[in-house]
Amino acid sequence: MSTPLESWVEESARLTKPSKIVWCDGSEPENERLTELMLNDGTYVELNQKTYPGCHLHRSNPNDVARTEGLTFICTRKKEDAGPTNNWMAPNDAKDKLRPLFDGAMKGRTMYVIPYIMGPAASPYSKIGVEITDSPYVVASMRIMSRMGKVALERLGRSDDFVPGLHSLGDLDPERRFIVHFPEEKLIWSVGSGYGGNALLGKKCFALRIASWMARENSWMAEHMLILGLEDPSGKVTYMAAAFPSACGKTNLAMMVSALGKQGYRVWTIGDDIAWMHIAADGTLRAINPEAGFFGVAPGTNGKTNPNVMNALHENTIFTNVALTDSGEPWWEGMDSTPPAGLTDWHGKKWTPGKTSAAHPNARYTVPAKQSPSISSHWQDPEGIPISAIIFGGRRARLAPLVYESRNWQHGVFVGATMASETTAAATGAVGVTRRDPMAMLPFCGYNMGDYFRHWLAMGAKLKNPPKVFHVNWFRRDADGKFLWPGYGENVRVLKWMLDRIEGRAAAAETPIGSVPTASSLTLDGLSISRDTLNELLSVNPADWTEEEQAVEKFFEKFGDRLPAALCQEQKALANRLSASSMASK
Ligand code: SAT
Ligand code: MN
């Protein structure tokens, strides 16, 4: 008798009609065969194998360079269950719409079956997915981003406990591009895109959209968060998880080389994008990183912003849509100050400095996590690591101070639910527009976000010692538009303040929005920053925040009666504290 997996593969093959089916085992010879094939058909461009051994460049179709949120759907039976922040289609309508696009889509192509584990192979919290795809680039990427092949098949056995994901490049026409999720049957269909989160189905589709649904059903959390460990001079490591929207510096923060290294503060990486968090028997919140690699934004990455990743990506790395130097090395804007002569741009054409960038703004590297010098020795601990702080943040030129601490878990959920950030090139659409992005999950929550907030509140009630919740903003600017804070390795000063708050050592000043550091409670030695700049960075302007609070009230209206009353209360309490503080200053 065939296994549930075999039946689904047969069914998918009947629909897509490939000329060949390959079951991926994740082995080295398999990777070599695929590399050879992609070099021959132009999917890969070979990079300089002396300086970048095992590294390749892939140029995607120019109309397929980022996640497409407008073409991404949550298909629940009831529309309200997808909620006001998701695109929705009825499950049967979605299938009727996509089936013809899959019909015969793999004619003359090879179908690859990729069994994979999200999470450490030995973790009870890990889950199995299987992606069917006709893209060898997706196979190679999934090999880096997950535990793929034999290890997953062995764990699965004859069980039906896996999330199936059917993917085809289709004809890459955005008119026929859809990324659809059926959370009620834990199924993913994606057609018409070969890029990133649209095509590597283990990442956003499974580990966030489907997993967030599973997590609510079973009282855990699937979050768009990096996980890092901050080591103090005694060698003790405190773990923190941070949610920022795509392309807002999660990877750089997770892999940071600490500016306080001499004083014994070091940062260790557990993950850079996704955290699965469970309540352990002792009532602590424990996190695993479901991924095995980093799919990071290349532009802006250099020896100063992320020396660890620069180090890591010299071998076994796939580069997508970066520029190419005449010595066959990858290049992107912000790698060094002046572009070298003789660059080829991401389209594969000779590049002349001027109007267009040489690398696409959402160009990426795909690199095994274990290659980072900053990787924690605990990054694959089956039980996960204990989380002591949750950090929310985004890009906000004005308004939000460098850091503030929420009053308690419920207030922390309010802070996360009301997060906003300026959009980036990680998704198609306008860049630099401020939008609400609760918990950085706006594009990734697989169900009604009102219910999601309720789930967050419920989780807090189950935790013995809920983590402290902070909000950061590295992106505040002065009146001339200049960044007030240097960021990158200096961000460790803010992490240290959080650690000192957790340990009850650091002072804070209460404001209507939460507690901000007193100037003297931040460790600033070795950093030249004026008192005025610091004051501006930490300032909370009640008039601006009153405007913000009113915008939040409007945003909350979207959720109708699905919005937990506790969040309404938090919004009213904030309004009261703001008006009390502006009265006091009059
Ligand atoms: O979704 S992707 O994996 O393409 C990148 C991102 O948005 O974080
Ligand atoms: Mn992300």
Side-chain angles (χ1 to χ4, degrees):
M1 248 231 337
S2 48
T3 64
L5 174 56
E6 284 161 355
S7 308
W8 175 64
V9 170
E10 281 156 26
E11 182 196 320
S12 304
R14 272 197 301 278
L15 177 62
T16 58
K17 307 180 180 63
S19 55
K20 200 167 118 190
I21 301 178
V22 170
W23 287 71
C24 300
D25 61 13
S27 68
E28 197 46 54
E30 173 181 271
N31 195 42
E32 282 163 19
R33 277 196 304 277
L34 278 172
T35 302
E36 198 55 37
L37 185 142
M38 287 193 275
L39 285 169
N40 287 335
D41 75 3
T43 304
Y44 266 174
V45 174
E46 187 164 66
L47 294 175
N48 186 324
Q49 293 299 300
K50 282 211 183 72
T51 50
Y52 284 85
C55 294
H56 300 91
L57 161 65
H58 170 67
R59 297 189 181 114
S60 76
N61 187 306
N63 78 29
D64 185 29
V65 293
R67 272 186 299 105
T68 43
E69 294 177 5
L71 306 174
T72 301
F73 292 81
I74 299 296
C75 306
T76 44
R77 273 167 311 203
K78 287 200 216 116
K79 185 167 192 236
E80 312 85 84
D81 291 337
T85 58
N86 280 312
N87 300 313
W88 175 83
M89 265 193 273
N92 286 336
D93 293 352
K95 286 185 180 163
D96 289 349
K97 199 176 185 100
L98 268 70
R99 206 175 284 110
L101 304 179
F102 278 115
D103 192 356
M106 298 190 190
K107 267 189 193 149
R109 295 185 189 170
T110 301
M111 169 195 274
Y112 299 94
V113 181
I114 316 170
Y116 61 92
I117 305 176
M118 294 312 285
S123 172
Y125 302 136
S126 297
K127 298 207 170 288
I128 295 173
V130 182
E131 174 163 359
I132 290 178
T133 182
D134 52 7
S135 160
Y137 163 78
V138 166
V139 179
S141 302
M142 288 295 286
R143 186 171 190 270
I144 296 174
M145 296 305 295
S146 69
R147 281 86 174 171
M148 180 268 254
K150 196 162 164 267
V151 63
L153 264 194
E154 275 171 5
R155 182 165 159 152
L156 181 64
R158 301 186 62 83
S159 160
D160 64 354
D161 192 8
F162 65 94
V163 171
L166 178 60
H167 171 252
S168 171
L169 294 170
D171 61 6
L172 290 180
D173 185 332
E175 294 291 314
R176 286 182 288 279
R177 177 175 299 160
F178 294 98
I179 299 92
V180 305
H181 307 72
F182 306 94
E184 284 147 344
E185 37 174 330
K186 322 271 190 292
L187 169 70
I188 306 156
W189 278 11
S190 166
V191 65
S193 166
Y195 205 88
N198 284 351
L200 314 179
L201 303 186
K203 196 174 177 56
K204 309 297 188 180
C205 298
F206 178 2
L208 289 175
R209 299 197 189 97
I210 298 289
S212 62
W213 181 287
M214 293 173 154
R216 181 191 43 164
E217 276 180 337
N218 293 300
S219 290
W220 55 283
M221 305 170 92
E223 300 297 331
H224 191 204
M225 289 178 175
L226 68 87
I227 312 166
L228 62 78
L230 177 61
E231 182 177 330
D232 75 6
S234 77
K236 182 177 161 207
V237 181
T238 301
Y239 295 94
M240 306 178 174
F244 311 155
S246 302
C248 288
K250 281 200 302 299
T251 308
N252 294 342
L253 186 67
M255 300 175 83
M256 171 210 301
V257 173
S258 156
L260 298 175
K262 284 209 191 74
Q263 297 168 46
Y265 291 91
R266 260 193 95 139
V267 169
W268 296 103
T269 312
I270 306 281
D272 82 323
D273 197 39
I274 300 178
W276 283 0
M277 301 191 286
H278 289 76
I279 301 176
D282 63 359
T284 57
L285 189 60
R286 298 193 79 95
I288 61 164
N289 170 12
E291 299 190 286
F294 307 128
F295 180 66
V297 179
T301 306
N302 59 48
K304 183 172 165 271
T305 60
N306 194 336
N308 280 325
V309 92
M310 289 304 279
N311 215 307
L313 45 74
H314 272 272
E315 51 186 349
N316 312 318
T317 301
I318 305 171
F319 295 90
T320 307
N321 292 345
V322 300
L324 187 66
T325 69
D326 57 9
S327 56
E329 299 189 340
W331 191 87
W332 47 77
E333 277 67 22
M335 183 189 260
D336 31 43
S337 43
T338 39
L343 275 181
T344 304
D345 71 11
W346 66 277
H347 294 281
K349 302 222 169 67
K350 276 270 150 288
W351 181 72
T352 38
K355 286 197 289 290
T356 58
S357 60
H360 186 276
N362 192 36
R364 298 270 171 162
Y365 51 78
T366 310
V367 60
K370 60 172 188 259
Q371 287 181 199
S372 175
S374 64
I375 199 77
S376 160
S377 57
H378 296 286
W379 84 284
Q380 307 198 79
D381 281 6
E383 301 299 326
I385 46 79
I387 295 293
S388 302
I390 285 177
I391 307 169
F392 294 119
R395 292 174 187 267
R396 294 219 75 175
R398 264 163 278 284
L399 196 75
L402 177 64
V403 55
Y404 64 98
E405 180 188 327
S406 66
R407 302 156 68 90
N408 51 42
W409 180 265
Q410 176 172 306
H411 179 234
V413 175
F414 173 80
V415 169
T418 57
M419 253 170 74
S421 187
E422 291 143 25
T423 51
T424 68
T428 54
V431 168
V433 183
T434 303
R435 71 168 183 183
R436 299 262 153 224
D437 188 349
M439 281 84 172
M441 284 288 277
L442 182 73
F444 307 123
C445 183
Y447 59 100
N448 189 311
M449 271 202 138
D451 298 345
Y452 170 74
F453 300 150
R454 196 175 301 277
H455 177 52
W456 263 81
L457 293 165
M459 287 296 289
K462 290 185 189 146
L463 286 163
K464 197 142 142 233
N465 263 319
K468 273 189 183 294
V469 182
F470 299 90
H471 185 282
V472 298
N473 178 21
W474 317 134
F475 301 92
R476 200 166 189 180
R477 295 173 191 253
D478 67 12
D480 301 327
K482 267 188 45 205
F483 287 116
L484 290 162
W485 179 248
Y488 306 109
E490 305 295 347
N491 291 338
V492 74
R493 301 172 190 278
V494 175
L495 300 183
K496 177 178 179 294
W497 182 78
M498 295 175 186
L499 172 62
D500 290 341
R501 290 295 292 168
I502 293 165
E503 304 273 333
R505 293 191 287 253
E510 243 196 77
T511 81
I513 64 166
S515 306
V516 298
T518 57
S520 59
S521 66
L522 280 172
T523 305
L524 297 173
D525 6 341
L527 181 69
S528 72
I529 185 165
S530 74
R531 195 59 184 232
D532 282 354
T533 303
L534 194 63
N535 286 341
E536 201 176 337
L537 261 170
L538 297 174
S539 68
V540 173
N541 179 325
D544 291 350
W545 276 96
T546 299
E547 226 173 85
E548 175 77 0
E549 177 270 312
Q550 283 157 2
V552 163
E553 182 172 20
K554 256 200 107 63
F555 175 67
F556 276 174
E557 278 168 14
K558 266 189 184 204
F559 300 96
D561 59 9
R562 296 270 197 159
L563 186 81
L567 292 191
C568 253
Q569 282 160 23
E570 286 296 334
Q571 176 246 318
K572 297 221 165 75
L574 172 63
N576 290 338
R577 292 194 299 269
L578 284 165
S579 75
S581 98
S582 47
M583 301 270 271
S585 63
K586 266 186 193 134

